[in-house]
Amino acid sequence: MEKQVLITVNSVMDDSSGESDKMSFVTEGILYKENDDYVISYKESEITGLDGTTTTLRVSRNSVTLTRHGNVDTTMFFEKGKTHLSDYNTKYGSVMLGITAKNVDVNLSESGGDIKVDYILEYNRSYGGRNRLYVSVSERKN
């Protein structure tokens, strides 16, 4: 059953020079269970620079798959201790991403919860920095 939820996203991006960039936003979206996975979906906004894109998180016990469709198209797979490659396509071109998850912590149920992903990002095989993504999902009260 699909539920309307509030989604809080906090991210910290440490670039190769050691500078940190933080972003935080709250948006509305949906949460539902499909087989043994939880699926969270929301529309991006101008705040994230991804206006016109829908982001979907498919969350299992040990991994998270982030898929974006729209002005940006990509699928990023986070699995602790493993590196996965992904194309990141924008209207300006495409770049190959390498994503190495240092940690994936999932505490999610049908009523919401938290997702924490700590990962190293590479752009075309060059170190792009360390990122930490924190997603909190809670039921929307009417």
Side-chain angles (χ1 to χ4, degrees):
M1 182 168 145
E2 194 173 283
K3 290 186 178 183
Q4 297 294 319
V5 292
L6 283 178
I7 302 164
T8 303
V9 178
N10 293 296
S11 67
V12 179
M13 297 165 272
D14 299 332
D15 66 22
S16 56
S17 68
E19 294 289 316
S20 286
D21 186 21
K22 297 178 182 179
M23 181 173 57
S24 181
F25 65 92
V26 178
T27 189
E28 295 179 349
I30 57 169
L31 167 68
Y32 59 93
K33 190 167 186 178
E34 187 173 89
N35 300 322
D36 290 333
D37 297 342
Y38 289 100
V39 179
I40 303 157
S41 185
Y42 62 92
K43 294 194 181 308
E44 296 282 354
S45 68
E46 288 181 35
I47 294 170
T48 63
L50 298 171
D51 195 24
T53 301
T54 298
T55 295
T56 302
L57 297 167
R58 178 173 291 276
V59 183
S60 69
R61 192 177 335 158
N62 298 316
S63 67
V64 175
T65 305
L66 182 151
T67 305
R68 290 193 168 121
H69 288 298
N71 289 333
V72 170
D73 288 306
T74 192
T75 299
M76 300 167 72
F77 188 64
F78 304 97
E79 187 177 22
K80 183 179 179 179
K82 296 187 180 178
T83 300
H84 295 278
L85 300 177
S86 174
D87 285 322
Y88 192 86
N89 301 303
T90 72
K91 60 185 174 185
Y92 303 108
S94 180
V95 66
M96 175 62 71
L97 299 180
I99 299 133
T100 305
K102 296 169 70 65
N103 196 28
V104 177
D105 184 20
V106 174
N107 180 16
L108 203 58
S109 70
E110 291 179 16
S111 58
D114 299 299
I115 304 161
K116 297 174 186 168
V117 180
D118 183 353
Y119 63 101
I120 302 296
L121 190 61
E122 296 174 282
Y123 301 98
N124 292 330
R125 303 205 185 270
S126 295
Y127 180 76
R130 177 180 176 193
N131 295 338
R132 288 167 311 282
L133 177 66
Y134 308 100
V135 180
S136 178
V137 180
S138 58
E139 289 187 62
R140 203 172 118 217
K141 308 291 186 225
N142 290 336

